[in-house]
Amino acid sequence: MTIHTDHPFDDPAGRDAVRQLRGRLGGQVSLWTTGAGPERAGLTVSSLLVLPGDPPLVLGLLDPDCDLADRLRVDGARLVVQLLEWQHRDLAEQFAGQMPAPGGAFATTTWDETQAGPRLSDAGSWAECTVESYREIGWFTEVVARVDHAQVGESDDPLLHRRGRYSRLGSGT
């Protein structure tokens, strides 16, 4: 785990303008998880798209050096994509490597074990997916996954990410 000393989307002098532009897009934060037991891996992901169609797909950009990317580079890999709420902000920081997680990030909350991987017990919206493809693109690993099953619940307090910070709807940040 790496604890970063600064946020990659902040505006200090000399920060890459393209990275700043990306940071201004914002959106709801997701947590991608896979595996079981000691082979579990997860990552906070805010660069994703949900693509309706036949089949429906989820596309995400992952750090190519993270454990999750390694586990998903296997034929037939399965994963869970869950949307996070404001109450999950510490968990999001832990899976992003921004906050310590004594015992590991999976030890900090309750999980339901599924065939696709661990799912947050209190996740209201989630999808179980199968990886269709992955490729290195720019500084990322692009993962395209088929949505095998999805559940959509209430989202009264979504965890949003913009410019390296978490916020709530209507918070003005």
Side-chain angles (χ1 to χ4, degrees):
M1 174 178 73
T2 302
I3 304 296
H4 301 282
T5 58
D6 66 345
H7 281 284
F9 304 116
D10 276 349
D11 289 333
R15 181 70 75 186
D16 184 319
V18 172
R19 196 166 187 127
Q20 289 181 46
L21 179 65
R22 178 176 161 247
R24 283 169 168 73
L25 294 177
Q28 187 162 0
V29 179
S30 68
L31 177 62
W32 292 34
T33 55
T34 192
E39 296 300 312
R40 291 183 297 185
L43 184 66
T44 303
V45 178
S46 57
S47 297
L48 76 151
L49 293 171
V50 177
L51 308 166
D54 188 22
L57 302 170
V58 175
L59 182 147
L61 299 177
L62 310 181
D63 177 342
D65 298 325
C66 73
D67 291 341
L68 180 68
D70 288 341
R71 303 272 193 318
L72 297 181
R73 288 185 186 107
V74 176
D75 288 342
R78 306 277 319 275
L79 70 145
V80 178
V81 175
Q82 47 240 307
L83 300 182
L84 300 182
E85 298 290 318
W86 179 252
Q87 69 183 10
H88 300 121
R89 63 193 176 279
D90 286 349
L91 186 68
E93 288 281 278
Q94 291 166 341
F95 274 96
Q98 297 283 336
M99 174 186 267
F106 285 100
T108 62
T109 192
T110 306
W111 301 89
D112 295 331
E113 296 302 324
T114 74
Q115 291 183 5
R119 184 181 71 232
L120 275 169
S121 295
D122 62 352
S125 297
W126 49 268
E128 293 181 2
C129 305
T130 302
V131 174
E132 295 268 316
S133 65
Y134 54 87
R135 68 180 173 141
E136 303 308 310
I137 181 169
W139 290 342
F140 299 97
T141 297
E142 175 194 70
V143 176
V144 178
R146 179 185 70 241
V147 177
D148 300 319
H149 178 75
Q151 178 172 313
V152 177
E154 294 299 317
S155 184
D156 296 328
D157 204 10
L159 181 61
L160 305 177
H161 187 265
R162 187 171 186 273
R163 296 181 67 186
R165 305 250 178 334
Y166 296 120
S167 63
R168 301 169 106 155
L169 282 176
S171 67
T173 58

